[in-house]
Amino acid sequence: MCRSESAAAHAGAFPMTSQIFPHFLSMHVLIAPDKFKGSLTAAQAAAALAKGWREGWPVDKPLEIECLPVADGGEGTAEAIHDALAGRWITLAVHDPIGRIVEGRYALVENAGGERLAVLEMSSASGFSLVRGDDRDLMRGNTFGTGQLLAHALREGGADRVVVGIGGSATNDGGVGLAAALGFRFLDAERRELEPTPRHLPELASIEFPLDALPSVLINVACDVKNPLLGPRGATRVYGPQKGLRDEAQAAQLELGLARLADVAAQTFGQDLRDIPGAGAAGGLGFGLITFCGAELLPGFGLVASRLGLEAAVARADLVLTGEGSLDGQTLEGKAPAGVAAMARQLGRPVIAFGGRVEEAARAGLRICFDEIVALSDVEPELTQKERMAREPELLCRHGARLAERIAARSPS
């Protein structure tokens, strides 16, 4: 957990460097940012901060920098685990949400014991960024492409374990597209096969299992939301509007289809999972993964951190740097920088957050979480947001160097 408000108040206003850091004769810095969305990947942000820190730290003082880009289970998760664990990318042609062929990929990582871990993100094949304008059609869109990635990882990639990130969804199909790609068949009352899209779900009468049984593999889903599949807090009502939900009539039709899917799935599998926390995540893909794959939904940051060995990395460090593009209220609700800060706090390590901007309404809460905040919007106020984003590698490098100089200046010679 982050510090109490009283502890933050006692520490004083930013910058707090003089109060929180011991005198360093040498330094081991862990740089563990998330992506700066729209401008830098997590790895690029880490590289910029590392370059700046090296430039600012005196050459006569020992320095070790460890870069460990992080993610919270959303977009960037596969890349973070791939980079940290020296994985390789598996690339294949898959269907996007409306059936067009796109290039999808997943990371395959083999550990010293021979275990093969596949890490895939639904955004690679079924993401919101893949469709524009009128193509954002919730009645038509499905997760078939994500299922293609998973099927390849299970049947051809030889994965012993799979991590699925489900952020950035463009769909609301309850996971039927994914299931169809795995070999499940969805039939109407006349036993005619239905196209696995939300438009046809109200006609669903039965589900047939794949002819080739799926390998028995543990599937972990990075999922931080607790929404059920249906109802006012469900997939359609909460997340539909941001994906192009057109009106109440379409919402009712989508709910009807998902309810039918839940009913038939309960009859088929002998358990009703519609109210499981997280079933409504990613347009019901959470429901689809636990229903058709026996997957387990886990908090995203904790899942990623455990695979990266983040706790051990924090323990090795004297100082932790983290950050993301926007430090705001969402940062405090389970995003990666707050998770890094909580881990650093537990291990007694000071932690500084870098951000492109800071949301004023969240500043007090962020002060509780981090020992210091370096926001480019604060230190480069003459630049517009567009200009800052275009120059973020340079600016992170510059202010990383300045911070290193400031900390080094109070250390004994």
Side-chain angles (χ1 to χ4, degrees):
M1 295 181 62
C2 296
R3 296 177 296 173
S4 67
E5 292 190 26
S6 60
H10 179 73
F14 297 148
M16 299 185 292
T17 312
S18 61
Q19 289 119 315
I20 63 172
F21 297 113
H23 294 288
F24 288 112
L25 292 172
S26 64
M27 175 167 281
H28 182 133
V29 183
L30 173 64
I31 303 179
D34 200 346
K35 63 185 175 297
F36 280 56
K37 192 170 184 178
S39 56
L40 298 176
T41 66
Q44 290 169 336
L49 287 168
K51 181 175 183 289
W53 199 274
R54 289 190 185 96
E55 291 176 358
W57 193 254
V59 295
D60 60 337
K61 291 185 178 181
L63 172 66
E64 183 176 353
I65 294 177
E66 182 176 0
C67 289
L68 191 62
V70 297
D72 57 16
E75 294 174 84
T77 294
E79 184 170 21
I81 295 177
H82 167 275
D83 292 349
L85 303 182
R88 59 189 175 96
W89 290 112
I90 306 297
T91 303
L92 60 150
V94 297
H95 290 87
D96 78 355
I98 58 172
R100 299 172 301 197
I101 301 298
V102 296
E103 186 179 273
R105 69 178 187 173
Y106 65 91
L108 193 61
V109 178
E110 189 165 349
N111 66 22
E115 180 194 56
R116 283 191 163 194
L117 169 70
V119 187
L120 63 97
E121 298 176 22
M122 77 161 303
S123 59
S124 175
S126 312
F128 188 71
S129 63
L130 298 176
V131 287
R132 299 279 190 276
D134 291 341
D135 289 335
R136 289 177 176 164
D137 183 352
L138 289 179
M139 299 303 295
R140 176 185 174 195
N142 73 8
T143 52
F144 191 86
T146 300
Q148 290 176 294
L149 291 175
L150 180 56
H152 191 280
L154 294 175
R155 294 193 170 113
E156 298 180 54
D160 302 301
R161 183 171 183 165
V162 180
V163 170
V164 184
I166 58 175
S169 161
T171 56
N172 202 87
D173 73 341
V176 292
L178 174 136
L182 295 175
F184 288 90
R185 299 176 70 231
F186 299 88
L187 310 176
D188 68 10
E190 303 299 322
R191 299 197 58 76
R192 294 172 297 203
E193 187 167 4
L194 298 170
E195 182 183 9
T197 63
R199 179 174 288 111
H200 297 285
L201 281 179
E203 305 167 48
L204 181 63
S206 62
I207 299 170
E208 287 192 350
F209 287 82
L211 295 177
D212 296 324
L214 294 172
S216 181
V217 172
L218 179 63
I219 300 175
N220 295 143
V221 182
C223 179
D224 290 304
V225 305
K226 304 300 182 185
N227 307 76
L229 180 64
L230 301 164
R233 295 183 55 253
T236 303
R237 303 291 183 183
V238 174
Y239 302 108
Q242 65 197 43
K243 302 178 187 181
L245 181 67
R246 293 176 183 171
D247 52 33
E248 176 56 31
Q250 187 178 74
Q253 184 74 359
L254 288 166
E255 283 284 275
L256 179 66
L258 290 177
R260 185 60 186 158
L261 172 63
D263 290 341
V264 177
Q267 296 166 8
T268 304
F269 294 94
Q271 54 182 342
D272 192 337
L273 302 174
R274 74 187 77 195
D275 293 326
I276 294 290
L285 183 58
F287 173 84
L289 283 162
I290 58 178
T291 296
F292 300 107
C293 303
E296 182 180 11
L297 306 183
L298 296 172
F301 175 76
L303 177 57
V304 176
S306 67
R307 303 308 303 187
L308 296 180
L310 181 62
E311 185 173 4
V314 172
R316 289 191 293 270
D318 300 306
L319 168 67
V320 179
L321 305 183
T322 187
E324 62 180 341
S326 179
L327 296 169
D328 51 32
Q330 290 189 22
T331 302
L332 301 171
E333 296 176 4
K335 299 294 286 295
V340 172
M343 192 171 287
R345 189 75 56 202
Q346 290 168 358
L347 293 170
R349 303 298 189 268
V351 57
I352 296 176
F354 283 76
R357 61 177 289 274
V358 173
E359 181 184 61
E360 282 303 317
R363 194 178 287 265
L366 292 165
R367 288 184 58 178
I368 296 170
C369 219
F370 304 104
D371 291 301
E372 185 170 339
I373 294 174
V374 180
L376 299 182
S377 56
D378 292 343
V379 295
E380 301 284 351
E382 72 283 359
L383 299 179
T384 66
Q385 181 177 346
K386 184 176 181 181
E387 289 170 336
R388 286 194 301 270
M389 290 180 69
R391 295 173 57 186
E392 266 175 354
E394 168 201 345
L395 298 178
L396 288 175
C397 180
R398 176 191 300 171
H399 292 285
R402 290 179 180 175
L403 179 64
E405 291 170 356
R406 178 153 52 93
I407 291 175
R410 62 177 300 275
S411 299
S413 302

